[in-house]
Every structure is written in C-alpha cells, then in structure tokens.
Amino acid sequence: MARGRLRIYLGAAPGVGKTYAMLSEAHRRIERGTDCVVAFVEHHHRPRTEVMLHGLEQTPRKELAYRDSVFTEMDVDAVLARRPQVALVDELAHTNIPGSRNTKRWQDVEELLAAGIDVVSTVNIQHLESLGDIVESITGVRQRETVPDEVVRRADQIELVDMSPQALRRRMAHGNIYKPDKVDAALSNYFRPGNLTALRELALLWVADRVDAYLTEYRSEHQVSAIWGSRERIVVGLTGGPEGRTLIRRAARLAEKGAGGEVMAVYISRSDGLNSASPKELADQRTLVEDLGGTFHQVVGDDIPVALLDFSRGVNATQIVLGVSRRRSWQNVFGPGVGATVARNSGPDLDVHLITHDEAGKGRGLPVARGARLGRSRVIWGWLVGVFGPVLLTWLLIGATPDVGLANDMLLFLTLTVAAALLGGLFPALASAAVGSLLLNWYFTPPVHTLTIADPKNIVAIAIFVGVAVSVASVVDLAARRTHQAARLRAESEILSYLAGNVLRGETSLEALLERVRETFGMESAALLERTGETEPWTCAGSVGPRPVENPDDADVDVPVSDDMALSLRGRMLPAADRRVLAAFAAQAAVVLDRQRLRREADHAKELAEGNRIRTALLAAVSHDLRTPLAGIKASVSSLRSEDVEWSEEDQAELLKAIEEGADRLDLLVGNLLDMSRLQTGTVTPILRETDLDEVVPMALGGVPEASVELDIPETLPMVHVDRGLLERAVANVVENAVKYNPPGDKVLVAASAIAERVEIRVVDRGPGVPDEAKDRIFEPFQRYGDAPRGTGVGLGLAVARGFTEAVGGTIHAEDTPGGGLTMVLAVQTAPERLPERPDLPAATTS
C-alpha cells in the first residue's frame, strides 16, 4: 500500500488564514470529484471559517472525559474506517487529551498517512520544535505544543499562508479572529507589530530554506549540472590583492539590480599553504563583503580556475566577477591567466565579468617561499646520523655481524639516509647518501678496500642506491616541511580568524588584544607605543605584562604600524616568518586604539551637546514656563492685598485657588527639573526590593482627578523587584501625561499583567496619539508633541519617567492604542524569589 501524501499550510501566527485556505482547497478537490472529508477542524467561532465547513462531510469526533470535563478529539478509527482519499486535520501540533490513542495529533496523522490516506493539515511557525527558544525570546511566551521539525520537513507540499502584520492586526481589531473582549489584550501582547514581523520573517526564511532544499534535491535526483538562475548569485573571485574591494562593490551593485541577489566572495588558497595574499587585506575584504550583506568563503585548490568554477556551480551561481589580470604582458607567454581560463570554461549558463582596476598590468610579484624551521637540535642530530651513522653501521657490519649480502647492506644504509632526512632535512640526508655510497664501495663491493668496482652489476646497484637515497631524502624532507607548514598555517588561520571575528567587530579592548599577542608568541610583555612627531618622545598607549618597553629601540621585537606608532615586544627574538601575523596584530591594535578614542570623543561630544541643549531649553523654560505660574501667583496675591477693592468671599476663594494651583504647578515643574538634573548627573541610586504593584500604582494617581482613571491591577500579580519611590514617580508622570491628552469624559486605563519573567503596566488613553516617527522623541527632555499649550509643562515628565524606569532595571515605550490613542508600556522585572509561571496562550492562539 502506497503511503499517503502530506500537505501543510504553514502560517506565521494565528489568524493568517491557514484553516480557511485548507477548507478552500477541500472545496476545490470535491468539485474535481475527490473524496474529501473533515477529520478534525476547529473554527474557533470565526464566522467566515465556520461558513467554509458547509457542504463538507465531517467524521464524528471522539469524546473523552478528563478532570470532570468532556473533551472532543479526532477519532482516528472512524477516519480509518471511512478511508477517504483526503482527510483534513487542523492544528498539527495539538496535544491530545490524556487517554487518547496517541499523545500528539501529528502521530494520528502518521497513522492516516501509513494507511494510504492523503492528509491536509495546518501549523504555525512558532510550533516547530527547533524554534521554541527563538519564539520565546521574541514573544516572551514558551510554546508548550510543538511538532518535530522532521515531521513538517517530510511533507510533500508546504504552502506558506502569508499576511502582513498590519493586515493581521486590522483583522484582529475587526473581530475576525478573537471575541471583542480579548482583542485589546491580544493586540497589546502577543500580536504586537514587532512580534508579528519577527514571526513572519522566521516563516519566510524557513520556507525559503525548504525551497532551496527541494531545488537541490531535484537537481541531484535528475543529475542537473546546468546552473538554474532562479535568483542572481554572484561569486567574486579574490586574490588577496587591493583590487578585491573594487570587485566586491561592483558585485554588490550587480546584485542590487535583481530581487533577492546574493554575493559570495571566495578566496582560493593552494593546498601546500603557500600564497602571497595579505592577511590584513583579506580581513578588510571579508569585513567589506559582510557589511554589504554577502558571505565570505575560503576553499583549497591547486588549479584556481577549476576550483572557482566548481565552487560557482556548487552554489548554483549565475555570475562570476573577476578582476583583470595583474600580470604584465610578457607573462602571458606562460598561459592565458585565470580570468581567460574561467571565461573559456564557464559555459553558456554562467556569465563572467572581468572588471578593470588600478592594479591591472602592474605585476603581482613572486610568492615568498616559507621554509620550515626544524630547530638547531634536530639539524645537529640529522648531521650526526647522516655522517657518523654510516661509519658506525660499517663497523657493525664488518666486525659484529655475519655477511648479509650487498643488497641488505644497501637497505640498511638507505634506512640511515631516511632517518637523517626526518631529523635534519635534505642536506644531512644527501651527506648520508654520499658517505654511505663511498663506504659501500670501499668495504662491501668487490674488490674491497679500493674504489674500483669489478662487477658492472655492482656499479648499477651503487648508482641506484644513490638515486633512491637522494629521491627518498627529498620526498621525506618535503613531507616534513609541508607538515610543519600546515601546522603553522593552521595556527596563523586561527589567530587571523580571532582577529576577524572579534577585533573587526569591535568586541575586543586594546589590553585584551595585547594580551593575546603576548600569549600567542610567548613574550614577557607587549606594548603599543606612539608619539606625536618624529622629535617627540614615545608614550605608551597600552601595555600588558611586566616591564613593558618605553622605546621601540629597547624592544626585542619591534613592528612599526606607522611612522609614529609601533608594537613593541619584550622577551625573545622572533623569526622573520612570525612578522606576518605580528603585522596583522599591530594593524588591528591601531584600529582598536582609534576606535576607543573615537568612542570616547563621541561620548564626550554627545554629553556636551546634551548639556548645551538642556541649558538652552532650561533657560527657555525658566523664561516662560516657570514665569507663567509665578505671574499668576503674584497677580492673585497683589489682588488680595489691594486696599481699593473689596473682594467677596467667592472672589477671595477663587484667587486663593489660583494661588494654590500655580504653586502646585510650580512645585511640579521644579520637581521635574531637579529629577532631570539628578538623572543627568547620575546621582539617582535606586534601592531595589520586593514590592506589590497594588501598593505602588494607586499612590501614583494622587495628582489626577479620581474620575479620570480606571484601575485594573490584579491581586494575583507577582511581586516586582524595583525601587518603590522611583517607580511611583515614573507611573505618576505617565498617568498625568495621559490624562492631559485624553478626551474629556473618557477614562485613562491603567492595567497590569504578567508576561514571562516581567510585569507590564499599560497606561491607555484615547487621545490624538503619536505617529511612529515621534514615539521615541517624546521621551527626550523638553519635548512636547503636537499642539500642547505653553505653560502646561516644560516637557520633562516622560523623560523623567524613562530615566526612573531604566534606573530600576525596566523599560518604557509607546504603542498605538487600538481604535486611536497612545499606550505607554512600563515593563519591570519580577522578584527572583517568586518567578511567575509562563502563561499559556489562549486556546485560539495555538491554532
């Protein structure tokens, strides 16, 4: 019996239309005469989905009792007995009620597929098991119902049901997904624009990966070697020369001309490890291609054109970008060059671009061979074995052992030659071959004790011995050198990878980099020295280790970075071969030093600019916003003291009320100014302790009319870890701001809820709202949005609220209120002793 086929509708979030699309497909199949039944579909009281069930046959569900309640699940036996061609099974990741046939619904689906029944199902991206941690970090909610990725990957068809976050939120606001009483909570929590955008990106990337996998599998099964240009993939061939930057930028411009273009830079190194590429230049080019959104690859190949074409066809590239050869014209007699060879062998499906550059025709220079250092002791032992070993062996063969024959004598002498090559390299081995051949001729080739050889066969044997000895010595010496080079290059690659991965991304301080230099080369100390001019003394910009040098002339190893900067090491002399990596370290040390200084200068400039802006705004506030309440107080007091006017009791009460309101406003303005001053000078020191929100939030509402706020603080909320006074001031400022902009007669909603390991306080108003581009700006000091009248404040309330919230380890941001208005969200951490359980999504959210 053939296995059934599985088709899955994949969505980024609940409500995008997976079930609706599945039912639409069922109607289409029934119209074509396919036997299709509904095994299990949950419409969640969504009218449009419920309508789509009309006209479809539904198998009866199985009722199960659990904890004094009755639940319904899919009846697998009933579906198997009905044996339709196609079964519709919703919510693939669903966990069945205890007592069911299988624990998970996807296991039920596996039974149907094994019975030869085609299945159409649905699942959301957040239910894939491998994405659980990512989804939790995005939404703050841990998905308890998951399905193994392999189950979904094995599907014969995967169709993405996509919808923009804005459209999904509109569908939610219209009541097409949840009931009206759950809409506001859903839009403010799980269905935030940021959450939906991130989930949508996960879904698109996952499906795109599956499309690439399907395409690769198809090409492999059908042995398709030709390149299919489904999208532009541009390979840039790098040599490590300065022209690489030009090629990368040109490739990036080519990729921008088509949708979904991809740039892959590749550097091909020889298998023997010998190359003339500059490590610093390659590191810079790697950073450049990654900054432009591409990827960097390094492959090994002795035939560069073949390796480049193999790599390009392996990644299904459509274009190759190469630079015009740097070889001089007379060098073309040795061959056509890489560019011409690649263009000739690329075929009709792979375009090759030859880009001109400033280095074309200027010559590349010869690669520098890097010989292996075997060490003095090994070389000495090699010479001892190569020269004295044959003498000792001759003495043993003549006096201590019986005659073993000329052939065996030659093999023994050849063994010494190989040993000399392993220990000391080529020259001790050649000396061993020369000494051995002479001793063989004198002592073991008739007539003995003469250099004459009577038998011509022995002449040939001696000649073969010398040839084999020299050949074996050369091969052994070459292998030893290549092994040493491989180990050295591997160490260098690890060091350069460290530089490229950490330093170029700004993740390493100067001291950490110098410490890495000292540890890598086993030095006593390392220092980066600089001076302001050729006649100025050297100063230390950074150092590690005891007794750092103060002048490059006193260092054991000195690597100049520029005329006025040098990396100086104390400890021992280093060979010239190490200076290549040292030069890379020195260049990166200079970059780190410049970055640190630029960061300090930028921070200082930002502080100065912020201080100047605050001083200017403060003067403006003092000249107007503070003068206004003072003028009102003075006018009321002068009127009361006037002797030529007799005020009634009502008039006196009105004037006293004006004085009190002006004093209160002045007190609030001065308080905010003092709070902002404390935040700017860093003198706010929070005292964090466990606190109940229902003891803090009501106290923060003292400055607003009682009828203007609706409070919703559940008693079951966990305790939070905050400074009670600072949080109270932050909430008070946010609530006062909301009441100020809320329409008359409407109440500001202050609600709190627990999400993951934090508690959110949401202050919701129905005012004019704030556009997205101004949501961050309203938290800056002395900012008042819209047509707020002068004299209503100096624009410090929200700035102080953000400062106090961040001081207690929380966050604050603004969101749009569904239906119009602005919602301020203050999030603080729960107390570590009483972490809340992660709440489950509503039942409809897991669909």
Side-chain angles (χ1 to χ4, degrees):
M1 180 184 298
R3 178 181 172 85
R5 298 176 63 84
L6 175 61
R7 177 171 183 169
I8 292 179
Y9 286 93
L10 177 68
V16 295
K18 304 179 303 300
T19 305
Y20 189 93
M22 179 179 66
L23 296 175
S24 299
E25 175 65 18
H27 282 286
R28 285 192 294 269
R29 296 195 181 196
I30 290 176
E31 291 175 358
R32 297 195 299 265
T34 304
D35 181 18
C36 184
V37 301
V38 176
F40 187 95
V41 169
E42 186 63 64
H43 55 73
H44 298 295
H45 304 289
R46 299 170 185 169
R48 297 186 178 182
T49 305
E50 190 172 1
V51 169
M52 293 297 294
L53 285 170
H54 295 167
L56 297 178
E57 178 186 349
Q58 301 186 47
T59 59
R61 298 185 183 184
K62 187 176 183 179
E63 294 185 352
L64 295 171
Y66 180 68
R67 292 184 178 178
D68 300 328
S69 298
V70 177
F71 301 89
T72 60
E73 294 287 0
M74 181 175 69
D75 193 338
V76 179
D77 292 326
V79 179
L80 292 174
R82 171 64 176 77
R83 290 197 62 81
Q85 289 180 277
V86 179
L88 307 183
V89 182
D90 204 6
E91 301 177 4
L92 185 63
H94 173 74
T95 301
N96 294 328
I97 295 298
S100 300
R101 180 168 180 161
N102 295 303
T103 304
K104 305 288 289 188
R105 184 164 292 166
W106 65 265
Q107 295 171 329
D108 297 336
V109 169
E110 287 293 323
E111 286 196 35
L112 300 181
L113 294 172
I117 300 174
D118 294 345
V119 176
V120 182
S121 188
T122 64
V123 72
N124 284 331
I125 191 69
Q126 66 264 30
H127 294 300
L128 295 182
E129 200 168 80
S130 65
L131 301 179
D133 294 339
I134 300 176
V135 172
E136 183 182 11
S137 66
I138 295 172
T139 65
V141 178
R142 182 68 180 185
Q143 298 293 332
R144 301 186 184 276
E145 293 190 332
T146 60
V147 58
D149 290 45
E150 186 59 28
V151 173
V152 182
R153 290 182 184 274
R154 286 201 307 263
D156 300 279
Q157 297 181 55
I158 300 176
E159 182 171 337
L160 178 65
V161 183
D162 189 29
M163 178 175 287
S164 68
Q166 295 77 12
L168 182 57
R169 284 172 60 85
R170 283 197 301 270
R171 178 181 289 183
M172 173 74 71
H174 293 159
N176 295 333
I177 302 177
Y178 291 162
K179 294 181 179 180
D181 59 340
K182 295 183 178 180
V183 170
D184 285 344
L187 289 175
S188 302
N189 292 282
Y190 193 85
F191 287 83
R192 298 176 183 175
N195 290 359
L196 297 178
T197 302
L199 292 174
R200 186 190 189 197
E201 183 180 17
L202 278 179
L204 291 172
L205 290 174
W206 196 90
V207 173
D209 178 68
R210 294 305 305 142
V211 171
D212 279 345
Y214 285 143
L215 180 59
T216 302
E217 182 180 353
Y218 179 86
R219 286 166 53 86
S220 176
E221 289 178 354
H222 294 77
Q223 298 181 351
V224 179
S225 59
I227 293 175
W228 287 2
S230 54
R231 61 172 173 169
E232 292 295 337
R233 288 187 174 92
I234 303 175
V235 172
V236 184
L238 301 179
T239 64
E243 77 280 0
R245 304 182 189 185
T246 303
L247 304 183
I248 293 171
R249 294 189 178 95
R250 181 62 182 273
R253 291 196 296 270
L254 289 174
E256 291 174 356
K257 295 180 180 180
E262 183 179 356
V263 176
M264 292 168 282
V266 57
Y267 171 73
I268 300 174
S269 59
R270 293 176 54 185
S271 59
D272 59 8
L274 300 179
N275 61 76
S276 58
S278 167
K280 182 179 182 303
E281 189 66 34
L282 276 179
D284 292 341
Q285 292 174 14
R286 180 183 190 129
T287 304
L288 176 61
V289 72
E290 290 177 351
D291 290 342
L292 294 176
T295 56
F296 182 89
H297 307 268
Q298 184 166 345
V299 298
V300 176
D302 292 324
D303 192 329
I304 294 178
V306 172
L308 184 60
L309 288 172
D310 288 344
F311 175 84
S312 301
R313 293 193 173 97
V315 299
N316 200 29
T318 57
Q319 303 180 54
I320 297 178
V321 174
L322 299 173
V324 173
S325 177
R326 284 187 286 156
R327 299 193 303 176
R328 301 185 185 277
S329 57
W330 61 267
Q331 292 178 307
N332 291 326
V333 299
F334 298 106
V338 174
T341 305
V342 170
R344 184 181 65 244
N345 299 331
S346 61
D349 52 359
L350 189 57
D351 297 334
V352 179
H353 302 266
L354 292 179
I355 309 301
T356 59
H357 50 85
D358 294 338
E359 302 297 322
K362 293 185 177 179
R364 298 186 56 176
L366 296 176
V368 180
R370 297 170 176 83
R373 299 194 313 272
L374 298 177
R376 178 176 298 179
S377 61
R378 285 190 58 179
V379 172
I380 292 175
W381 275 105
W383 281 105
L384 290 176
V385 171
V387 175
F388 297 102
V391 176
L392 179 61
L393 179 61
T394 301
W395 178 78
L396 291 174
L397 291 175
I398 293 176
T401 60
D403 185 15
V404 296
L406 180 60
N408 292 327
D409 294 336
M410 290 184 177
L411 288 177
L412 292 174
F413 278 96
L414 184 61
T415 301
L416 286 178
T417 303
V418 173
L422 288 173
L423 289 174
L426 178 63
F427 294 107
L430 294 178
S432 176
V435 174
S437 61
L438 291 175
L439 292 175
L440 281 171
N441 187 6
W442 186 267
Y443 289 101
F444 303 101
T445 304
V448 297
H449 301 134
T450 66
L451 296 178
T452 303
I453 302 177
D455 191 349
K457 295 181 180 179
N458 292 335
I459 298 177
V460 175
I462 292 295
I464 292 175
F465 165 77
V466 174
V468 171
V470 172
S471 300
V472 170
S474 301
V475 171
V476 171
D477 175 70
L478 181 62
R481 290 177 180 273
R482 290 295 181 263
T483 302
H484 181 83
Q485 289 170 353
R488 178 179 181 81
L489 289 173
R490 178 178 178 181
E492 290 184 3
S493 66
E494 291 177 355
I495 295 171
L496 295 176
S497 175
Y498 163 81
L499 290 176
N502 293 338
V503 178
L504 295 178
R505 292 176 175 86
E507 300 173 356
T508 303
S509 64
L510 179 60
E511 287 71 19
L513 181 63
L514 294 177
E515 181 64 27
R516 182 61 184 262
V517 174
R518 191 178 70 86
E519 292 178 355
T520 300
F521 297 98
M523 306 302 287
E524 180 181 349
S525 65
L528 185 65
L529 306 179
E530 62 176 348
R531 59 183 178 182
T532 57
E534 294 184 359
T535 59
E536 299 297 327
W538 291 90
T539 59
C540 182
S543 64
V544 293
R547 300 189 307 115
V549 296
E550 299 179 355
N551 193 300
D553 297 335
D554 301 331
D556 294 319
V557 179
D558 173 36
V559 181
V561 180
S562 63
D563 292 340
D564 299 321
M565 184 175 293
L567 177 63
S568 301
L569 308 177
R570 182 196 296 274
R572 61 188 179 90
M573 298 298 294
L574 292 179
D578 288 338
R579 296 187 67 88
R580 184 166 69 102
V581 178
L582 268 178
F585 270 112
Q588 298 306 334
V591 171
V592 170
L593 179 61
D594 290 341
R595 184 184 294 117
Q596 290 181 351
R597 289 175 174 174
L598 289 174
R599 186 181 296 114
R600 286 196 296 267
E601 292 176 1
D603 293 341
H604 183 61
K606 184 178 180 180
E607 292 176 359
L608 292 177
E610 183 68 15
N612 290 333
R613 190 177 67 84
I614 291 179
R615 280 193 290 271
T616 302
L618 180 60
L619 291 174
V622 171
S623 65
H624 190 284
D625 295 288
L626 295 181
R627 178 181 291 179
T628 299
L630 284 174
I633 294 173
K634 186 177 185 305
S636 298
V637 172
S638 299
S639 298
L640 288 174
R641 295 188 61 187
S642 176
E643 298 179 354
D644 54 351
V645 178
E646 184 175 350
W647 301 99
S648 64
E649 292 184 0
E650 292 79 4
D651 294 336
Q652 291 180 6
E654 189 68 27
L655 290 173
L656 289 174
K657 180 180 178 181
I659 293 174
E660 184 178 11
E661 290 178 351
D664 290 341
R665 194 186 336 168
L666 189 61
D667 179 67
L668 178 62
L669 295 176
V670 173
N672 278 334
L673 286 172
L674 292 176
D675 289 338
M676 198 67 218
S677 175
R678 292 169 59 200
L679 290 171
Q680 291 292 329
T681 56
T683 57
V684 176
T685 305
I687 302 176
L688 303 179
R689 61 186 62 180
E690 291 187 4
T691 305
D692 281 322
L693 279 184
D694 55 5
E695 298 178 359
V696 176
V697 177
M699 299 297 296
L701 308 181
V704 297
E706 294 183 4
S708 62
V709 176
E710 177 184 350
L711 198 60
D712 181 15
I713 307 295
E715 296 181 356
T716 57
L717 284 177
M719 301 184 73
V720 294
H721 195 58
V722 297
D723 184 301
R724 178 172 177 173
L726 295 182
L727 181 61
E728 180 181 329
R729 287 296 307 277
V731 174
N733 283 2
V734 173
V735 172
E736 290 171 5
N737 184 78
V739 171
K740 182 192 307 181
Y741 289 97
N742 207 41
D746 287 351
K747 291 185 177 181
V748 171
L749 174 62
V750 180
S753 59
I755 299 178
E757 298 176 357
R758 67 182 188 275
V759 173
E760 289 188 350
I761 306 171
R762 310 183 74 83
V763 181
V764 184
D765 68 61
R766 296 291 179 177
V770 176
D772 293 338
E773 62 271 12
K775 282 187 172 63
D776 286 333
R777 196 165 63 247
I778 60 176
F779 292 101
E780 298 178 3
F782 304 103
Q783 294 291 327
R784 291 182 297 185
Y785 179 73
D787 55 354
R790 300 291 295 181
T792 59
V794 294
L796 286 176
L798 294 181
V800 171
R802 168 170 278 187
F804 283 170
T805 304
E806 293 178 349
V808 300
T811 60
I812 180 173
H813 66 275
E815 297 179 354
D816 292 328
T817 300
L822 191 68
T823 299
M824 292 289 181
V825 183
L826 291 83
V828 293
Q829 294 294 320
T830 56
E833 291 79 9
R834 297 172 58 186
L835 294 179
E837 294 184 359
R838 305 184 190 277
D840 290 328
L841 287 173
T845 306
T846 61
S847 64

